[in-house]
Amino acid sequence: MSSKLCAFVLPLLLATSVAAQTQTPVISFPASGPYAVTGTLRAGQPFTVQYTLDRLKKCRATYSGMDTWFISVEYRFDYGTFQAAYVTNQSDYVRVSVPATITAPAGARTLELRFKNWDRGGCVAYDPSSWPIYTFTLQQ
């Protein structure tokens, strides 16, 4: 291989290798069964939550043909206060799944998640439906 080609290809290979190591971890919740974690959850770093809407089918009110329900991921670090991010969005008249990206605080050691579905009629449902909630250990 010529030195000019090496000078071009080698930085590309190194950049690709670094990008592969720094991909945002994903916690996936399929329609049924256990969740899956791709990558390493780390303190001080972002991660993405992907939630399949068929996993939580309760509380699905509509109004004039439009979905009037929402699903959010409620999360907390180190047993603190819950915060929330939406895992649904409106597309025309229907709700669709959207990923939620959350950044863990520096120094955090644990992450807890639960999903909340509610609608305009006042119905509320959770996944999991009772304690314990989904718990993860964060790497430092």
Side-chain angles (χ1 to χ4, degrees):
M1 188 182 294
S2 76
S3 62
K4 287 183 182 181
L5 187 56
C6 280
F8 177 74
V9 172
L10 187 57
L12 259 170
L13 291 173
L14 291 174
T16 303
S17 175
V18 169
Q21 292 173 8
T22 60
Q23 285 185 339
T24 303
V26 177
I27 307 172
S28 301
F29 291 83
S32 63
Y35 60 82
V37 179
T38 305
T40 303
L41 301 172
R42 296 189 183 281
Q45 299 294 317
F47 61 91
T48 299
V49 177
Q50 294 179 336
Y51 191 78
T52 302
L53 303 184
D54 283 344
R55 189 174 179 99
L56 187 53
K57 295 181 181 182
K58 297 178 182 177
C59 302
R60 297 289 179 100
T62 61
Y63 182 77
S64 295
M66 181 169 37
D67 289 340
T68 57
W69 52 271
F70 305 86
I71 298 178
S72 64
V73 57
E74 296 183 334
Y75 60 95
R76 67 181 181 181
F77 299 97
D78 297 333
Y79 311 104
T81 303
F82 276 104
Q83 301 174 64
Y86 288 110
V87 292
T88 61
N89 200 356
Q90 196 77 23
S91 177
D92 293 323
Y93 285 86
V94 298
R95 286 272 158 210
V96 295
S97 178
V98 295
T101 299
I102 300 165
T103 299
R109 299 198 175 275
T110 61
L111 163 67
E112 293 179 297
L113 301 176
R114 68 182 178 191
F115 297 88
K116 179 180 179 182
N117 190 19
W118 72 100
D119 65 23
R120 73 185 298 264
C123 179
V124 177
Y126 289 94
D127 173 19
S129 59
S130 62
W131 297 94
I133 57 180
Y134 303 109
T135 304
F136 305 87
T137 300
L138 303 174
Q139 300 297 314
Q140 296 300 307

